[in-house]
Amino acid sequence: MWERLDHGAGMATPSELRRMRGALVAVVLLVLGASASGLAVPRLAVDGGSPDVLTFGDDAGRVRNTVVRLRHRIVDDGWFPVTVSGVGLRADGVRLTEVREDGGRAFA
């Protein structure tokens, strides 16, 4: 009875193996392409501006305070919208004073 059984039953043929390998390569390339294009991962880009330097002095002409203002614009370059839930800054001697949305609205 053992001799009558098909020992190749359930095994993939060489052409099926080639098609499965091709499909696997296509899926891997699709996933890599989607992540590089921003489809799967958010892509935020920064449009930097030039700094504004303000100096404040006293009546004697001495400089008492220097303020450097640097504006940045963050743009979503991905395929889908991104929700930014917070903005912060960590640097010695630097203070984040204001964050606004594109329409001039205050950031919530």
Side-chain angles (χ1 to χ4, degrees):
M1 177 146 174
W2 183 257
E3 294 84 25
R4 291 183 11 204
L5 293 176
D6 184 9
H7 297 292
M11 303 271 301
T13 64
S15 64
E16 290 174 333
L17 288 174
R18 279 194 306 273
R19 281 191 299 232
M20 289 173 62
R21 282 188 198 117
L24 180 64
V25 167
V27 166
V28 167
L29 291 176
L30 182 69
V31 167
L32 290 175
S35 66
S37 69
L39 179 63
V41 232
R43 292 179 52 186
L44 297 176
V46 177
D47 293 339
S50 60
D52 298 330
V53 179
L54 305 170
T55 56
F56 299 100
D58 58 8
D59 292 336
R62 295 175 291 203
V63 175
R64 291 295 181 190
N65 192 9
T66 302
V67 175
V68 178
R69 186 178 302 157
L70 185 59
R71 298 176 190 265
H72 290 287
R73 182 176 179 173
I74 299 174
V75 180
D76 179 18
D77 283 343
W79 289 22
F80 296 107
V82 176
T83 301
V84 178
S85 59
V87 177
L89 175 71
R90 291 186 201 165
D92 293 334
V94 178
R95 182 171 48 108
L96 179 65
T97 57
E98 182 183 25
V99 177
R100 288 187 295 173
E101 292 183 28
D102 196 23
R105 300 179 305 268
F107 191 82

